[in-house]
């Protein structure tokens, strides 16, 4: 697996994804360090409750999906972030390929001064809390599948914020 730790977004360094560093934005979904239960007469192991799934709003329910994401054109331009006010959104890679996670704090709009980029391994997923500003999934491979758990149900659960051109960030690979 290639080492992408030298990637830079303007003056913003790419950080290795860890539970402590990602805590303000949600959960890192990985089996490392998770509680393990033996199941199926000892022929299986369950790593449960790896992230808090939120399905707020009237008639919200969990939705399980697979998305097939393509690599963004290089160099990757980070010109927008999105958030989901009614529920969390979890992404877990279905192949062991590195990928990028871009997040920011902010109330009505993203605070670009808090923009962070994490390098996730192919054995790490993320669960964004409701209302966390994040970029759509950024695979480093040409194509990559992700298991997605998020909220289905009535209500507007997507907000997008586009940056003015001078505020765009460039991912240099």
């Amino acid at each position: 697996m290639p080492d992408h730790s030298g990637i830079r977004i303007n003056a913003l360094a790419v950080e290795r994804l860890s539970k402590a560093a990602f805590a303000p934005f949600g959960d890192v979904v990985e089996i490392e360090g998770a509680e393990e239960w033996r199941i199926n007469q000892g022929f299986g192991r369950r790593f449960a409750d790896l992230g808090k799934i939120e399905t707020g709003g009237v008639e919200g329910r969990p939705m399980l999906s697979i998305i097939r994401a393509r690599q963004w054109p290089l160099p990757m331009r980070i010109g927008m972030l999105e958030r989901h006010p009614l529920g969390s959104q979890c992404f877990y890679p279905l192949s062991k390929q590195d990928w990028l996670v871009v997040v920011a704090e902010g109330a009505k709009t993203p605070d670009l001064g808090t923009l962070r980029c994490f390098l996730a391994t192919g054995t790490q997923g993320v669960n964004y809390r409701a209302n966390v500003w994040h970029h759509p999934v950024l695979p480093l491979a040409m194509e990559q599948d992700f298991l997605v758990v998020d909220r289905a149900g009535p209500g507007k659960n997507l907000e997008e914020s586009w940056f003015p051109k001078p505020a765009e960030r460039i991912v240099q690979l």
Side-chain angles (χ1 to χ4, degrees):
M1 193 175 316
D3 179 11
H4 298 289
S5 60
I7 300 169
R8 299 284 184 259
I9 297 180
N10 283 351
L12 181 68
V14 175
E15 306 170 51
R16 293 262 177 217
L17 184 63
S18 71
K19 290 178 181 180
F22 196 73
F25 309 102
D27 309 301
V28 173
V29 179
E30 63 184 343
I31 62 174
E32 184 176 322
E35 185 177 347
E36 179 181 336
W37 303 334
R38 294 283 177 190
I39 60 171
N40 301 330
Q41 297 81 44
F43 288 92
R45 298 182 301 168
R46 181 177 182 146
F47 304 93
D49 205 17
L50 300 176
K52 181 181 177 189
I53 304 302
E54 301 168 300
T55 59
V58 178
E59 300 177 30
R61 63 176 180 79
M63 176 173 57
L64 185 64
S65 307
I66 293 176
I67 65 165
R68 180 161 292 151
R70 291 190 337 246
Q71 186 183 63
W72 288 65
L74 298 175
M76 293 178 192
R77 294 189 179 277
I78 307 299
M80 64 81 70
L81 294 178
E82 65 181 32
R83 69 178 177 178
H84 307 281
L86 299 179
S88 58
Q89 191 175 46
C90 179
F91 290 88
Y92 193 85
L94 296 177
S95 61
K96 292 186 177 184
Q97 297 169 313
D98 291 354
W99 57 295
L100 297 177
V101 177
V102 175
V103 291
E105 297 174 19
K108 291 184 180 184
T109 60
D111 175 355
L112 297 184
T114 66
L115 192 67
R116 294 175 76 177
C117 182
F118 294 96
L119 175 66
T121 70
T123 61
Q124 292 177 307
V126 296
N127 183 48
Y128 302 114
R129 284 194 197 101
N131 273 319
V132 166
W133 290 106
H134 62 277
H135 193 277
V137 68
L138 290 167
L140 293 176
M142 292 304 291
E143 189 173 81
Q144 189 171 4
D145 290 348
F146 291 83
L147 182 69
V148 180
V149 179
D150 58 355
R151 180 196 183 274
K156 184 180 177 201
N157 194 28
L158 174 64
E159 296 175 6
E160 295 178 333
S161 180
W162 294 84
F163 311 163
K165 284 272 185 206
E168 282 186 348
R169 303 296 201 274
I170 304 294
V171 175
Q172 298 288 346
L173 298 180

Short mmCIF file of all heavy atoms in Angstrom, two decimals, residues 125-162:
data_model
loop_
_atom_site.label_atom_id
_atom_site.label_comp_id
_atom_site.label_asym_id
_atom_site.label_seq_id
_atom_site.Cartn_x
_atom_site.Cartn_y
_atom_site.Cartn_z
N GLY A 125 -12.97 3.43 8.90
CA GLY A 125 -14.10 4.20 8.41
C GLY A 125 -14.32 5.38 9.32
O GLY A 125 -13.67 5.52 10.36
N VAL A 126 -15.25 6.26 8.93
CA VAL A 126 -15.63 7.38 9.79
C VAL A 126 -17.14 7.45 9.89
O VAL A 126 -17.86 7.06 8.97
CB VAL A 126 -15.08 8.73 9.28
CG1 VAL A 126 -13.55 8.75 9.30
CG2 VAL A 126 -15.62 9.08 7.91
N ASN A 127 -17.60 7.93 11.03
CA ASN A 127 -19.01 8.19 11.25
C ASN A 127 -19.13 9.66 11.64
O ASN A 127 -18.81 10.03 12.75
CB ASN A 127 -19.56 7.29 12.37
CG ASN A 127 -21.03 7.49 12.58
OD1 ASN A 127 -21.81 7.50 11.64
ND2 ASN A 127 -21.44 7.66 13.82
N TYR A 128 -19.55 10.49 10.67
CA TYR A 128 -19.72 11.92 10.93
C TYR A 128 -20.96 12.12 11.79
O TYR A 128 -22.03 11.60 11.47
CB TYR A 128 -19.94 12.70 9.63
CG TYR A 128 -18.83 12.57 8.62
CD1 TYR A 128 -19.05 11.94 7.40
CD2 TYR A 128 -17.57 13.10 8.86
CE1 TYR A 128 -18.06 11.85 6.45
CE2 TYR A 128 -16.57 13.01 7.91
CZ TYR A 128 -16.82 12.38 6.71
OH TYR A 128 -15.83 12.28 5.77
N ARG A 129 -20.84 12.89 12.85
CA ARG A 129 -22.01 13.26 13.64
C ARG A 129 -22.93 14.13 12.80
O ARG A 129 -22.49 14.77 11.83
CB ARG A 129 -21.60 14.06 14.86
CG ARG A 129 -21.00 13.24 15.95
CD ARG A 129 -20.93 14.05 17.25
NE ARG A 129 -19.99 13.39 18.12
CZ ARG A 129 -18.74 13.78 18.32
NH1 ARG A 129 -18.28 14.87 17.75
NH2 ARG A 129 -17.95 13.09 19.10
N ALA A 130 -24.20 14.21 13.18
CA ALA A 130 -25.13 15.14 12.54
C ALA A 130 -24.53 16.55 12.61
O ALA A 130 -23.91 16.93 13.61
CB ALA A 130 -26.48 15.09 13.23
N ASN A 131 -24.69 17.30 11.53
CA ASN A 131 -24.26 18.70 11.43
C ASN A 131 -22.76 18.91 11.30
O ASN A 131 -22.29 20.04 11.41
CB ASN A 131 -24.79 19.54 12.60
CG ASN A 131 -26.17 20.07 12.29
OD1 ASN A 131 -26.45 20.50 11.17
ND2 ASN A 131 -27.05 20.03 13.27
N VAL A 132 -21.97 17.88 11.06
CA VAL A 132 -20.54 18.05 10.86
C VAL A 132 -20.26 18.33 9.38
O VAL A 132 -20.69 17.57 8.51
CB VAL A 132 -19.74 16.81 11.33
CG1 VAL A 132 -18.30 16.84 10.83
CG2 VAL A 132 -19.78 16.71 12.85
N TRP A 133 -19.57 19.43 9.12
CA TRP A 133 -19.19 19.77 7.74
C TRP A 133 -18.11 18.81 7.26
O TRP A 133 -17.10 18.61 7.94
CB TRP A 133 -18.67 21.21 7.69
CG TRP A 133 -19.74 22.23 7.91
CD1 TRP A 133 -19.94 22.97 9.04
CD2 TRP A 133 -20.77 22.60 6.99
NE1 TRP A 133 -21.03 23.79 8.88
CE2 TRP A 133 -21.57 23.58 7.62
CE3 TRP A 133 -21.10 22.20 5.69
CZ2 TRP A 133 -22.66 24.18 7.00
CZ3 TRP A 133 -22.19 22.79 5.08
CH2 TRP A 133 -22.96 23.76 5.73
N HIS A 134 -18.33 18.21 6.09
CA HIS A 134 -17.35 17.27 5.53
C HIS A 134 -17.43 17.30 4.01
O HIS A 134 -18.44 17.70 3.43
CB HIS A 134 -17.61 15.84 6.03
CG HIS A 134 -18.95 15.30 5.63
ND1 HIS A 134 -20.10 15.58 6.33
CD2 HIS A 134 -19.32 14.52 4.60
CE1 HIS A 134 -21.13 14.99 5.74
NE2 HIS A 134 -20.68 14.34 4.69
N HIS A 135 -16.36 16.88 3.40
CA HIS A 135 -16.31 16.78 1.93
C HIS A 135 -16.88 15.42 1.53
O HIS A 135 -16.74 14.45 2.28
CB HIS A 135 -14.87 16.91 1.44
CG HIS A 135 -14.78 17.13 -0.03
ND1 HIS A 135 -14.82 16.10 -0.93
CD2 HIS A 135 -14.67 18.27 -0.75
CE1 HIS A 135 -14.73 16.59 -2.16
NE2 HIS A 135 -14.64 17.91 -2.07
N PRO A 136 -17.51 15.30 0.37
CA PRO A 136 -17.88 13.97 -0.12
C PRO A 136 -16.64 13.07 -0.15
O PRO A 136 -15.51 13.53 -0.21
CB PRO A 136 -18.41 14.24 -1.53
CG PRO A 136 -18.93 15.64 -1.47
CD PRO A 136 -17.98 16.36 -0.54
N VAL A 137 -16.87 11.78 -0.11
CA VAL A 137 -15.81 10.79 0.01
C VAL A 137 -14.73 10.99 -1.07
O VAL A 137 -15.04 11.30 -2.22
CB VAL A 137 -16.40 9.35 -0.01
CG1 VAL A 137 -16.99 9.00 -1.35
CG2 VAL A 137 -15.39 8.32 0.42
N LEU A 138 -13.47 10.85 -0.65
CA LEU A 138 -12.31 11.12 -1.52
C LEU A 138 -11.40 9.90 -1.61
O LEU A 138 -10.39 9.81 -0.92
CB LEU A 138 -11.51 12.31 -0.97
CG LEU A 138 -12.16 13.68 -1.09
CD1 LEU A 138 -11.42 14.70 -0.22
CD2 LEU A 138 -12.22 14.13 -2.53
N PRO A 139 -11.73 8.94 -2.47
CA PRO A 139 -10.83 7.78 -2.62
C PRO A 139 -9.54 8.20 -3.31
O PRO A 139 -9.53 9.09 -4.16
CB PRO A 139 -11.63 6.83 -3.51
CG PRO A 139 -12.60 7.68 -4.25
CD PRO A 139 -12.89 8.87 -3.36
N LEU A 140 -8.45 7.56 -2.93
CA LEU A 140 -7.18 7.79 -3.61
C LEU A 140 -6.99 6.81 -4.77
O LEU A 140 -6.17 7.05 -5.65
CB LEU A 140 -6.02 7.69 -2.61
CG LEU A 140 -6.01 8.81 -1.56
CD1 LEU A 140 -4.88 8.58 -0.54
CD2 LEU A 140 -5.88 10.18 -2.21
N ALA A 141 -7.77 5.74 -4.77
CA ALA A 141 -7.77 4.80 -5.89
C ALA A 141 -8.68 5.36 -6.99
O ALA A 141 -9.51 6.23 -6.74
CB ALA A 141 -8.29 3.44 -5.43
N MET A 142 -8.55 4.84 -8.19
CA MET A 142 -9.40 5.29 -9.29
C MET A 142 -10.88 5.06 -9.00
O MET A 142 -11.73 5.84 -9.39
CB MET A 142 -9.01 4.61 -10.60
CG MET A 142 -7.63 5.03 -11.11
SD MET A 142 -7.45 6.81 -11.34
CE MET A 142 -8.52 7.08 -12.72
N GLU A 143 -11.18 3.97 -8.28
CA GLU A 143 -12.56 3.65 -7.92
C GLU A 143 -12.52 2.84 -6.62
O GLU A 143 -11.63 2.02 -6.43
CB GLU A 143 -13.21 2.83 -9.04
CG GLU A 143 -14.68 2.62 -8.87
CD GLU A 143 -15.29 1.96 -10.10
OE1 GLU A 143 -15.19 0.71 -10.20
OE2 GLU A 143 -15.85 2.67 -10.94
N GLN A 144 -13.48 3.10 -5.74
CA GLN A 144 -13.50 2.40 -4.46
C GLN A 144 -14.94 2.34 -3.95
O GLN A 144 -15.68 3.32 -4.04
CB GLN A 144 -12.61 3.12 -3.45
CG GLN A 144 -12.39 2.38 -2.15
CD GLN A 144 -11.33 3.03 -1.28
OE1 GLN A 144 -10.79 4.07 -1.58
NE2 GLN A 144 -11.03 2.39 -0.16
N ASP A 145 -15.31 1.19 -3.41
CA ASP A 145 -16.64 1.00 -2.84
C ASP A 145 -16.60 1.26 -1.34
O ASP A 145 -15.64 0.91 -0.66
CB ASP A 145 -17.15 -0.43 -3.07
CG ASP A 145 -17.47 -0.71 -4.53
OD1 ASP A 145 -17.53 0.24 -5.34
OD2 ASP A 145 -17.68 -1.90 -4.86
N PHE A 146 -17.71 1.84 -0.83
CA PHE A 146 -17.86 2.14 0.58
C PHE A 146 -19.23 1.67 1.05
O PHE A 146 -20.22 1.88 0.35
CB PHE A 146 -17.76 3.65 0.86
CG PHE A 146 -16.38 4.20 0.64
CD1 PHE A 146 -15.96 4.56 -0.63
CD2 PHE A 146 -15.51 4.37 1.70
CE1 PHE A 146 -14.69 5.08 -0.84
CE2 PHE A 146 -14.24 4.88 1.50
CZ PHE A 146 -13.83 5.24 0.23
N LEU A 147 -19.27 1.05 2.22
CA LEU A 147 -20.52 0.76 2.89
C LEU A 147 -20.92 2.04 3.61
O LEU A 147 -20.10 2.67 4.29
CB LEU A 147 -20.33 -0.37 3.90
CG LEU A 147 -21.58 -0.81 4.65
CD1 LEU A 147 -22.54 -1.51 3.69
CD2 LEU A 147 -21.20 -1.73 5.79
N VAL A 148 -22.18 2.46 3.44
CA VAL A 148 -22.66 3.71 4.01
C VAL A 148 -23.87 3.43 4.89
O VAL A 148 -24.78 2.71 4.48
CB VAL A 148 -23.05 4.73 2.91
CG1 VAL A 148 -23.54 6.03 3.52
CG2 VAL A 148 -21.87 4.98 1.98
N VAL A 149 -23.86 3.97 6.09
CA VAL A 149 -25.01 3.91 6.99
C VAL A 149 -25.37 5.35 7.31
O VAL A 149 -24.55 6.09 7.87
CB VAL A 149 -24.70 3.14 8.30
CG1 VAL A 149 -25.93 3.13 9.20
CG2 VAL A 149 -24.23 1.73 8.00
N ASP A 150 -26.57 5.76 6.89
CA ASP A 150 -27.02 7.10 7.21
C ASP A 150 -28.52 7.12 7.40
O ASP A 150 -29.15 6.08 7.51
CB ASP A 150 -26.52 8.13 6.20
CG ASP A 150 -26.92 7.89 4.77
OD1 ASP A 150 -27.52 6.85 4.46
OD2 ASP A 150 -26.63 8.75 3.93
N ARG A 151 -29.10 8.30 7.44
CA ARG A 151 -30.51 8.48 7.76
C ARG A 151 -31.36 8.52 6.51
O ARG A 151 -31.05 9.22 5.56
CB ARG A 151 -30.70 9.79 8.53
CG ARG A 151 -32.14 10.04 8.91
CD ARG A 151 -32.34 11.49 9.30
NE ARG A 151 -33.69 11.73 9.75
CZ ARG A 151 -34.69 12.02 8.93
NH1 ARG A 151 -34.50 12.09 7.63
NH2 ARG A 151 -35.90 12.23 9.42
N ALA A 152 -32.45 7.78 6.56
CA ALA A 152 -33.49 7.87 5.53
C ALA A 152 -34.74 8.40 6.22
O ALA A 152 -34.93 8.20 7.42
CB ALA A 152 -33.77 6.50 4.91
N GLY A 153 -35.60 9.04 5.46
CA GLY A 153 -36.85 9.53 6.02
C GLY A 153 -37.13 10.94 5.55
O GLY A 153 -36.32 11.56 4.86
N PRO A 154 -38.29 11.46 5.93
CA PRO A 154 -38.67 12.80 5.48
C PRO A 154 -37.81 13.89 6.12
O PRO A 154 -37.17 13.67 7.15
CB PRO A 154 -40.13 12.92 5.93
CG PRO A 154 -40.29 11.93 7.02
CD PRO A 154 -39.30 10.83 6.76
N GLY A 155 -37.80 15.02 5.48
CA GLY A 155 -37.06 16.17 5.98
C GLY A 155 -35.83 16.43 5.14
O GLY A 155 -35.29 15.53 4.49
N LYS A 156 -35.36 17.67 5.14
CA LYS A 156 -34.17 18.06 4.37
C LYS A 156 -32.94 17.70 5.19
O LYS A 156 -32.70 18.28 6.24
CB LYS A 156 -34.20 19.56 4.08
CG LYS A 156 -33.05 20.00 3.21
CD LYS A 156 -33.09 21.48 2.92
CE LYS A 156 -31.86 21.83 2.10
NZ LYS A 156 -31.55 23.23 2.17
N ASN A 157 -32.15 16.75 4.69
CA ASN A 157 -30.99 16.26 5.43
C ASN A 157 -29.69 16.48 4.69
O ASN A 157 -28.74 15.73 4.84
CB ASN A 157 -31.16 14.78 5.79
CG ASN A 157 -30.16 14.33 6.83
OD1 ASN A 157 -29.70 15.10 7.65
ND2 ASN A 157 -29.79 13.06 6.79
N LEU A 158 -29.63 17.49 3.84
CA LEU A 158 -28.39 17.81 3.13
C LEU A 158 -28.29 19.32 2.99
O LEU A 158 -29.21 19.96 2.47
CB LEU A 158 -28.34 17.17 1.74
CG LEU A 158 -27.15 17.56 0.86
CD1 LEU A 158 -25.84 17.10 1.45
CD2 LEU A 158 -27.33 17.03 -0.56
N GLU A 159 -27.17 19.87 3.45
CA GLU A 159 -26.84 21.27 3.23
C GLU A 159 -25.45 21.31 2.62
O GLU A 159 -24.57 20.58 3.06
CB GLU A 159 -26.85 22.06 4.55
CG GLU A 159 -28.21 22.12 5.20
CD GLU A 159 -28.16 22.81 6.56
OE1 GLU A 159 -27.10 23.33 6.96
OE2 GLU A 159 -29.20 22.81 7.24
N GLU A 160 -25.26 22.17 1.62
CA GLU A 160 -23.96 22.33 0.98
C GLU A 160 -23.48 23.76 1.15
O GLU A 160 -24.29 24.69 1.14
CB GLU A 160 -24.04 22.00 -0.52
CG GLU A 160 -24.38 20.56 -0.80
CD GLU A 160 -24.51 20.28 -2.28
OE1 GLU A 160 -24.83 21.21 -3.06
OE2 GLU A 160 -24.27 19.12 -2.67
N SER A 161 -22.18 23.93 1.29
CA SER A 161 -21.57 25.24 1.38
C SER A 161 -20.41 25.29 0.39
O SER A 161 -19.45 24.52 0.52
CB SER A 161 -21.07 25.50 2.81
OG SER A 161 -20.49 26.78 2.90
N TRP A 162 -20.51 26.16 -0.60
CA TRP A 162 -19.47 26.31 -1.62
C TRP A 162 -18.56 27.47 -1.24
O TRP A 162 -19.02 28.51 -0.81
CB TRP A 162 -20.12 26.55 -2.99
CG TRP A 162 -20.88 25.35 -3.43
CD1 TRP A 162 -22.16 25.00 -3.08
CD2 TRP A 162 -20.41 24.29 -4.24
NE1 TRP A 162 -22.50 23.80 -3.64
CE2 TRP A 162 -21.44 23.34 -4.36
CE3 TRP A 162 -19.19 24.04 -4.89
CZ2 TRP A 162 -21.31 22.17 -5.10
CZ3 TRP A 162 -19.06 22.88 -5.64
CH2 TRP A 162 -20.11 21.96 -5.73
#
